[in-house]
Amino acid sequence: SYFVFELLVYFLSIHGGASVHFLYAYKCIPKLKIPPLEPFLVPEVTLNKTSDALDLQTTMKQLKITGTTNVKVSKLNVDLTDLVGSVSLAFADLNVTTLYVIDALFMKMVPMIGQGQFNGTLSNVRVDLAGKAELSPKNDLGHSYLKIIQLKIKGFIGDARGHVVDTSGNPENVNITNAAIAFYEDYRREVLNILTPVIEEFCESVVLNVVNQALSTVPFEDMFAEDSK
């Protein structure tokens, strides 16, 4: 039961990359191949979002996030019977770099169109995660597999500052980008509140894909088995 407890804690905290759980998982579950979280790398991701306050189509490449191991974990709750749990994470700073292509309209009046490079820092980031897992029925070989079936992430970004460079070579796009940056500086809190749900959905998708791909490769019964010498 203790190993199962640690496994659930790790899965619930993987988004934040709490270093103690990350290192523990590698020591105790060597067969579970989960990619490093510091830095956290995403080769390419496309986001599409339409709401009253935002029309967004963007593709980010070479997305890199650092600072994930500097995290405070609190409010941890785990139910081993129902395989559900929740945890709260707090990060001082998350550093983000990416290449982007974007076509967006904020608050139905401020466009941002173009492509370029972004380098910035998200400060005072708080994340609440709640998840539920299940064990599959045993297959013909007698193996069952753990799978995360529900994950909900709610976040808060205290501030975000960075540098955006449009590399499209189109003077009109450069002017649009500069105007969007000026708008953000004037309405920083409002823009962050608009973007936070998009970031939450992105994180939920990434965590589910990474964790469940890893879980599907190793039977649950073998996760804690000692490697033969």
Side-chain angles (χ1 to χ4, degrees):
S1 295
Y2 179 74
F3 288 119
V4 175
F5 171 80
E6 285 292 339
L7 181 64
L8 286 173
V9 171
Y10 171 66
F11 289 144
L12 288 169
S13 63
I14 187 173
H15 170 262
S19 57
V20 61
H21 299 136
F22 179 61
L23 294 174
Y24 186 91
Y26 264 125
K27 289 180 180 179
C28 293
I29 319 174
K31 296 180 181 179
L32 196 59
K33 305 300 183 183
I34 293 180
L37 298 180
E38 182 66 32
F40 186 74
L41 303 174
V42 179
E44 182 173 339
V45 60
T46 296
L47 302 176
N48 296 296
K49 181 71 174 181
T50 300
S51 67
D52 292 340
L54 176 66
D55 288 322
L56 172 67
Q57 293 181 333
T58 184
T59 297
M60 294 179 287
K61 295 183 178 181
Q62 301 177 29
L63 174 63
K64 180 171 74 171
I65 303 173
T66 59
T68 57
T69 55
N70 183 18
V71 58
K72 293 182 179 179
V73 181
S74 62
K75 299 180 182 178
L76 174 64
N77 295 288
V78 177
D79 185 330
L80 296 178
T81 301
D82 295 330
L83 293 180
V84 297
S86 61
V87 67
S88 294
L89 309 172
F91 305 88
D93 294 303
L94 293 176
N95 301 307
V96 181
T97 62
T98 188
L99 304 177
Y100 70 86
V101 177
I102 191 170
D103 185 350
L105 183 65
F106 292 90
M107 299 181 180
K108 299 188 181 299
M109 61 179 180
V110 180
M112 185 168 179
I113 302 171
Q115 66 183 53
Q117 302 173 342
F118 172 78
N119 184 352
T121 299
L122 310 182
S123 302
N124 186 24
V125 178
R126 301 195 300 271
V127 181
D128 294 324
L129 297 93
K132 179 177 177 61
E134 69 176 9
L135 276 175
S136 68
K138 290 188 176 182
N139 59 20
D140 293 339
L141 298 177
H143 298 319
S144 59
Y145 293 84
L146 191 68
K147 181 179 181 180
I148 307 299
I149 58 173
Q150 294 178 12
L151 180 67
K152 187 64 179 177
I153 294 175
K154 295 296 292 182
F156 173 81
I157 302 171
D159 197 8
R161 297 181 181 273
H163 187 54
V164 178
V165 177
D166 185 278
T167 59
S168 65
N170 185 328
E172 183 178 357
N173 286 349
V174 173
N175 291 334
I176 290 174
T177 297
N178 290 337
I181 293 171
F183 176 81
Y184 172 74
E185 293 296 335
D186 290 339
Y187 298 95
R188 185 186 303 269
R189 183 71 265 157
E190 290 83 354
V191 174
L192 287 176
N193 289 342
I194 291 170
L195 291 177
T196 295
V198 180
I199 298 172
E200 291 169 346
E201 292 179 11
F202 162 69
C203 292
E204 289 170 359
S205 175
V206 169
V207 172
L208 281 174
N209 286 335
V210 169
V211 174
N212 283 333
Q213 284 180 14
L215 291 174
S216 68
T217 64
V218 182
F220 182 73
E221 299 82 4
D222 294 347
M223 285 183 178
F224 308 107
E226 295 289 341
D227 288 340
S228 58
K229 296 182 180 180

